[in-house]
Amino acid sequence: MKSSDRSCLIVDDSDAFCTAARRVLEAAGMTVVGTASSLGTAVTVAEATHPDLVLVDIDLGFESGFDVVEVLHAAGLAPTPAIILVSTHDEEDFADLVESSSAIGFLSKFDLSADSIARILSRG
């Protein structure tokens, strides 16, 4: 699937990151179907939009991105979206948790690009 064929939901409590990520992804031809800043909103938007891809921030303030991943994974969305965890922290800080989660991988927010997402998707 080409970048231009992908739809993406961004789950992050930083408006600045959501705006920047939307610009990067849309410039690459992806369709950003929405943003969410909490678990509840993420599920609601995902159920309404059926994204192919969900980027989930690990640290959502009072909530954990790992919880968001598991709830989205268990929600029975069709088609099942690929979920990638994102953070400004080093991947090594969360390696075991990422590995044991239902996410297909981790991406540093600083490395966000359509190409980096494609590499993770090809491994997942």
Side-chain angles (χ1 to χ4, degrees), residues 58 66 85-99 105-108 111:
I58 287 176
F66 292 103
L85 286 157
V86 298
S87 181
T88 56
H89 297 282
D90 290 331
E91 182 173 5
E92 294 78 31
D93 294 345
F94 299 103
D96 291 341
L97 292 170
V98 171
E99 181 66 31
F106 173 89
L107 180 60
S108 168
D111 296 330

Side-chain angles (χ1 to χ4, degrees), residues 27-58:
M30 286 189 193
T31 301
V32 176
V33 296
T35 61
S37 61
S38 68
L39 188 152
T41 306
V43 171
T44 299
V45 175
E47 288 176 340
T49 62
H50 302 279
D52 302 308
L53 171 67
V54 183
L55 300 179
V56 179
D57 185 20
I58 287 176

Side-chain angles (χ1 to χ4, degrees), residues 3-21:
S3 291
S4 59
D5 296 333
R6 292 214 175 272
S7 60
C8 180
L9 168 62
I10 302 167
V11 182
D12 199 296
D13 61 341
S14 166
D15 290 338
F17 177 76
C18 288
T19 299

